[in-house]
Amino acid sequence: MPGPILKPNVRANQLVLVGRIHDRKDLRVLPNSMPILECTLWHESQVTEANADRSLAFLMPARCLGSVAERMARLQIGASIRAWGFIAPRRQARHESADQARPATSLIFTINEFTLGE
């Protein structure tokens, strides 16, 4: 399955990340009957920054909802996935404008879709 196409003229907040399921919580259901699953992905890669090679390795907190959460719940710890989604504050801040906003202290990868493998 190919990844989503970036939409033109839209402020972009789209992430594609390859990683392994490091751990996950039990599938639960929100009050609106929506399944939700929280997990952590382990990512390792080589990137170029300022014309220098750099190795990255980090844990990324993630969540998914609905049928994506139900599919993710069936995967084994250690399964390799390619995931598409966006980055969001773990808790939504309430503010009227950017002038009143505070920097997010914790971000989470919201997964909209994934495939197995790298």
Side-chain angles (χ1 to χ4, degrees):
M1 171 186 307
I5 306 277
L6 289 176
K7 297 177 183 176
N9 302 319
V10 174
R11 291 185 179 161
N13 177 359
Q14 299 179 359
L15 176 65
V16 178
L17 189 70
V18 173
R20 296 189 177 278
I21 299 172
H22 180 264
D23 60 40
R24 70 167 176 254
K25 295 181 179 177
D26 290 336
L27 182 68
R28 60 189 178 89
V29 179
L30 296 173
N32 66 358
S33 300
M34 177 75 67
I36 184 171
L37 183 99
E38 293 188 8
C39 64
T40 306
L41 301 178
W42 173 251
H43 171 82
E44 293 181 73
S45 63
Q46 298 287 324
V47 298
T48 302
E49 180 180 36
N51 295 320
D53 291 335
R54 180 176 175 192
S55 296
L56 299 177
F58 58 87
L59 291 169
M60 172 65 76
R63 70 174 160 224
C64 45
L65 299 163
S67 62
V68 176
E70 292 170 337
R71 288 178 26 235
M72 181 80 75
R74 292 191 292 266
L75 298 181
Q76 298 292 320
I77 299 297
S80 179
I81 65 168
R82 176 178 299 269
W84 295 268
F86 60 92
I87 297 292
R90 189 172 284 278
R91 302 268 185 258
Q92 184 64 40
R94 295 186 190 341
H95 54 80
E96 297 297 319
S97 70
D99 294 336
Q100 297 173 344
R102 291 180 293 174
T105 57
S106 180
L107 298 174
I108 191 164
F109 177 26
T110 299
I111 298 171
N112 289 330
E113 189 55 79
F114 72 89
T115 58
L116 290 175
E118 300 181 12

